[in-house]
Each structure stands twice: as structure tokens, then as C-alpha cells.
């Protein structure tokens, strides 16, 4: 695994200084939201006063005595309007808290709050193309408007931040090359892991396969990702590869798809028309990803753009090999033992078919090849990640008056 940008010249964390974190949500069911919740939990455990500015905050954080929750509304259920409300509220709270306590550390997430503090970048809009050619016309129009707005907001917010935290070297490179951010302003901190998400025991595997309804003796392959109209996650490539594989009598694996979104009904219908409903099962949104991975023999993530890929990391931590595109940030964690499951192109259906066949012919060997990476990823916990970001807070704020 490549070495990361080192954290140097950072003042020691000051637990007495308040923190303001502006995020979409704080909960444990999504990549960015889970990461922000981990940071908040760490700072609260340290005894810091933490202001959580978001659309929603999980109860275990909101109930903490040193947590101050500031909820941003979603007017008329609109994402665009809600984004504007969050931005304004984040700036107001940051201004109020820093006026009272100048040593306050402010953490924004991308373009959600234009503030000269620490900006934790989970996604670079300038690096993501629009993968919506097959989407309805209304969605394509809306997507172009929201993308343009996101890029403008991103340029303003990231240009103003004192220190940027990238979730991968890939994200760091995008910030430098596409937005012209000075390299010395960007630090890389990989997402953390839950140490309890270790390879599943035999009883766990059996229970999970029973819950899933998996056919005994048949390998379980999983896809975990949003099923929107946007094809960034590459499910269309996986679907085409799976249809080709199922056309041959020797392919015995079944595919389970976990994720909700507006595009889900279309894929369910298309799968039924192709006569593949018994080979591709759609779970919709589920909070039982841990159990799904216990049942799985392989995760496939043929993404077209992915700053990191927590789904890939969590699968590997659970002892499950993962096929992922080389463009994903998580791919940079792979070493020589695992690189055979990296996809050169997210659009190469035939290449994915070959990769899946290679995995199926050596299932046990691939599991063993991923074991060292699984152990390594589990050592970088959410707590360790949060401590790194806390240390970087000293770079993002002026010295206390």
C-alpha cells in the first residue's frame, strides 16, 4: 500500500476548544455520514463541546451532554433547498461559536459550508462526470443544474479552506489537478473501520445465508450501492456481465443487490423481463450490510467514479474478496496479492466476466490472498481516523487569542 501524506507541524489537540461539524447527517448507515459520526463520537468522548449541524443526528450522539445539535430543515422535501439551508445554518453556527471561542475548530464537508477551517472532502464534483445517459430527460436536466451548482460551490468552499482532508490519494490528486489546490494544503486520511467487522465465523455465515435465503452450495456475490438513475456505481456493467455468465450452464453463483433509489424498479423489471429474477435478487435499502457480507463470497463494485469506497473496505474487513475498478480510491489499498481483482475499465463487460470467472475458479485462494489486507485495514479504526483529523484541526484554525 502506498505511503500517505504525513501529518507534520500540527499543534497538539486542545480538548477545551469547541468544534463545529457541518454534515448532511450523522449516523452509521452510510460512508460520509458514518465517518462524520465517528469523528463526532471521538470528540465527544474527549470531552469537547461539539456542535453538530446537519439534517439529522442519530440519537446516541444527540443525547450526549456536550453535544449541541442544530438541525437544518429540508423545505418541501427538496435536496437543493435543504442544501442551501444547511450551508446558511452552518455558517451562522460557525460564526457564533468562533466569536465566543476563537480557538473553535470548524469542519465542513465539501461545499456544504463555505468557511476558512478544515474541509473534509469525500467527493470531488469536478472529477465526476455525469453518468446519466439512460436516465429520464427530467433527471438529466436536473442533474446538469445540480452538478453545475455543486461545482461552483465546491470551488468557493475548497478554495477558502485552510486545510483539506482527502479520503484517498485519488481524491487528493483530483483536488490538486482539477481544482488547483496547493498540494501542501491537502492531507490524506483514509476512512476508518469497525474492529468488530472481522471475518465471519461459520455459525455467522450459516445464519446469514439462512436469512438471505441463499441456495446451499451456491456462491453468493453481492453488490452494495445506491440504485439511482445515475450509473456512477456501474451496476449496468455488472448486470450485463451477470446476464452473459448466466447464459452458460457452468455459472453457479447468484447475485444479491443491496441499495435503494429511484432506479431500482427499472432494474427489477428489466431483470424479470430477462428471466433472471432467480439469479439476481434485489434487497432494496438494508441496514443489515454486516449480515449480507457474512453470507457473501465476493463483492463487486465496478464504479466509474468513487473517491474511496467504504463498501469495498467493509467487505474486505469481513474477509470477503472484492472486485473493484482501478479508479476507486479503495483500489490504492490493494497490493500485489489482490490486484488481480482490479478492473481496468468500468465499461468492459467482457473484462468483468473474465475477472469473475477467474475468481470462481480459485475462490479459496482469493479469500486467502485478501486475508493480509483484511487484517491491515482493521487496524485503522474509526477512532484512529478521528484522532488524525482532530490533530489536523490545529492546522485549520488560528492560534487561540
Amino acid at each position: 500500500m502506498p505511503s500517505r501524506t504525513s501529518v507534520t507541524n500540527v499543534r497538539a489537540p486542545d480538548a477545551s476548544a469547541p468544534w463545529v461539524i457541518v454534515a448532511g447527517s450523522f449516523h452509521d448507515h452510510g460512508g460520509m455520514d458514518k465517518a462524520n459520526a465517528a469523528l463526532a463520537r471521538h470528540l465527544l468522548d474527549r470531552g469537547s463541546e461539539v456542535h453538530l449541524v446537519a439534517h439529522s443526528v442519530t440519537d446516541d450522539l444527540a443525547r450526549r451532554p456536550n453535544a449541541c445539535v442544530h438541525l437544518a430543515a429540508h423545505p418541501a422535501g427538496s435536496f437543493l433547498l435543504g442544501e442551501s439551508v444547511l450551508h446558511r445554518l452552518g455558517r451562522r453556527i460557525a460564526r457564533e461559536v468562533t466569536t465566543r471561542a476563537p480557538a473553535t475548530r470548524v469542519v465542513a464537508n465539501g461545499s456544504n459550508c463555505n468557511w476558512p477551517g478544515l474541509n473534509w472532502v469525500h467527493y470531488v464534483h469536478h472529477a465526476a462526470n455525469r453518468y446519466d445517459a439512460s436516465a429520464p430527460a427530467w433527471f438529466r436536466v436536473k442533474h446538469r443544474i445540480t452538478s453545475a451548482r455543486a461545482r461552483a460551490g465546491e470551488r468557493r468552499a475548497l478554495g477558502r479552506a485552510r486545510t483539506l482532508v482527502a479520503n484517498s490519494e485519488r481524491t487528493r490528486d483530483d483536488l490538486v489537478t482539477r481544482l488547483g489546490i496547493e498540494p501542501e494544503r491537502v492531507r490524506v486520511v483514509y476512512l476508518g473501520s469497525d474492529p468488530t467487522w472481522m471475518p465471519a465465523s461459520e455459525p455467522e455465515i450459516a445464519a446469514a445465508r439462512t436469512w438471505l435465503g441463499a441456495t446451499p452450495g451456491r456462491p453468493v456475490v453481492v453488490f452494495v450501492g445506491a440504485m439511482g438513475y445515475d450509473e456512477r456505481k456501474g451496476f449496468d456493467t455488472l448486470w450485463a456481465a451477470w446476464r452473459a455468465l448466466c447464459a452458460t450452464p457452468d455459472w453457479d453463483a447468484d447475485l444479491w443487490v443491496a441499495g435503494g433509489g429511484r432506479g431500482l424498479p427499472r432494474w427489477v423489471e428489466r431483470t424479470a423481463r430477462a428471466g433472471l429474477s432467480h439469479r439476481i435478487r434485489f434487497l432494496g435499502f438494508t441496514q443489515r450490510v454486516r449480515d449480507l457480507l457474512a453470507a457473501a463470497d465476493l463483492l463487486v463494485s465496478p464504479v466509474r467514479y468513487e473517491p474511496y469506497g467504504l463498501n469495498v473496505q467493509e467487505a474486505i474487513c469481513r474477509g470477503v474478496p472484492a472486485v473493484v475498478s482501478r479508479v476507486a480510491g479503495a483500489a490504492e489499498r490493494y497490493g500485489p496479492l489482490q490486484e488481480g481483482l482490479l478492473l481496468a475499465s468500468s465499461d468492459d463487460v467482457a473484462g468483468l466476466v473474465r475477472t469473475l470467472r477467474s475468481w470462481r475458479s480459485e475462490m479459496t485462494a482469493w479469500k486467502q490472498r485478501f486475508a493480509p489486507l483484511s487484517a491491515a485495514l482493521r487496524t485503522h479504526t474509526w477512532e484512529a481516523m478521528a484522532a488524525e483529523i482532530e490533530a489536523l484541526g490545529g492546522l485549520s484554525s488560528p492560534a487561540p487569542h
Side-chain angles (χ1 to χ4, degrees):
M1 292 181 286
S3 60
R4 292 178 294 148
T5 308
S6 60
V7 177
T8 58
N9 301 319
V10 178
R11 293 197 299 272
D14 178 5
S16 66
W19 285 75
V20 176
I21 309 175
V22 186
S25 297
F26 294 86
H27 61 68
D28 295 319
H29 305 299
M32 289 174 57
D33 300 324
K34 184 180 286 190
N36 279 289
L39 174 60
R41 198 168 284 121
H42 167 81
L43 295 171
L44 290 166
D45 287 343
R46 288 258 297 158
S48 298
E49 173 190 322
V50 183
H51 294 259
L52 306 176
V53 186
H55 296 300
S56 64
V57 178
T58 187
D59 285 345
D60 78 291
L61 294 176
R63 288 195 297 262
R64 301 287 286 270
N66 48 334
C68 304
V69 176
H70 311 272
L71 294 181
H74 257 131
S78 168
F79 173 79
L80 285 176
L81 294 176
E83 191 177 53
S84 298
V85 172
L86 179 64
H87 179 267
R88 290 195 300 271
L89 180 61
R91 282 176 54 81
R92 179 171 67 81
I93 298 302
R95 187 180 303 110
E96 291 175 358
V97 180
T98 54
T99 298
R100 171 174 58 83
T104 297
R105 277 50 166 149
V106 178
V107 182
N109 279 244
S111 60
N112 73 358
C113 183
N114 187 347
W115 190 266
L118 193 70
N119 196 302
W120 195 359
V121 184
H122 301 270
Y123 190 98
V124 181
H125 292 277
H126 281 77
N129 293 321
R130 294 187 296 268
Y131 307 103
D132 58 1
S134 62
W138 68 265
F139 178 84
R140 295 198 302 272
V141 171
K142 179 183 178 183
H143 199 191
R144 277 151 181 75
I145 294 171
T146 57
S147 293
R149 176 177 171 145
R151 291 185 182 206
E154 181 175 78
R155 188 171 292 280
R156 287 192 298 269
L158 302 189
R160 193 179 183 197
R162 290 194 179 95
T163 302
L164 291 87
V165 179
N167 58 6
S168 66
E169 293 289 349
R170 187 253 152 88
T171 298
R172 182 180 187 274
D173 289 344
D174 286 336
L175 291 171
V176 172
T177 60
R178 296 177 182 270
L179 281 156
I181 302 296
E182 298 88 343
E184 60 272 15
R185 290 171 55 204
V186 188
R187 307 302 178 99
V188 174
V189 178
Y190 287 124
L191 296 186
S193 65
D194 184 337
T196 68
W197 283 50
M198 59 183 64
S201 64
E202 289 300 326
E204 263 191 293
I205 294 171
R209 287 180 64 95
T210 298
W211 160 70
L212 201 59
T215 303
R218 294 179 69 86
V220 170
V221 177
V222 301
F223 173 92
V224 179
M227 301 294 290
Y229 289 132
D230 187 305
E231 294 174 344
R232 179 174 67 88
K233 296 291 186 179
F235 181 72
D236 57 317
T237 298
L238 175 56
W239 191 91
W242 209 260
R243 181 177 62 175
L245 287 164
C246 291
T248 61
D250 64 325
W251 186 250
D252 60 346
D254 293 324
L255 175 64
W256 269 261
V257 181
R262 286 173 168 166
L264 180 59
R266 178 186 61 170
W267 283 111
V268 172
E269 180 184 357
R270 186 175 178 183
T271 299
R273 289 201 312 267
L276 293 173
S277 297
H278 63 301
R279 305 299 303 274
I280 304 176
R281 318 286 180 83
F282 294 92
L283 299 175
F285 174 76
T286 178
Q287 295 184 5
R288 298 187 64 174
V289 173
R290 179 188 170 98
D291 293 328
L292 178 64
L293 294 175
D297 296 294
L298 179 74
L299 178 133
V300 184
S301 184
V303 292
R304 293 184 170 88
Y305 169 70
E306 188 70 274
Y308 188 66
L310 187 60
N311 59 335
V312 172
Q313 175 171 291
E314 290 183 335
I316 296 171
C317 287
R318 289 292 270 161
V320 179
V323 174
V324 65
S325 307
R326 285 187 181 274
V327 299
E332 64 199 47
R333 315 298 296 273
Y334 282 42
L337 287 176
Q338 301 87 30
E339 64 181 1
L341 293 191
L342 292 178
L343 299 176
S345 171
S346 307
D347 298 312
D348 185 0
V349 174
L352 179 54
V353 168
R354 289 193 298 272
T355 300
L356 289 170
R357 284 198 172 278
S358 172
W359 161 77
R360 182 63 186 91
S361 67
E362 298 183 275
M363 281 178 56
T364 301
W366 279 114
K367 191 177 182 72
Q368 293 169 347
R369 290 167 193 156
F370 273 78
L373 180 57
S374 176
L377 292 177
R378 293 197 306 276
T379 64
H380 186 241
T381 63
W382 288 114
E383 179 70 16
M385 175 209 73
E388 286 190 61
I389 295 175
E390 180 189 19
L392 289 173
L395 287 175
S396 67
S397 301
H401 294 329

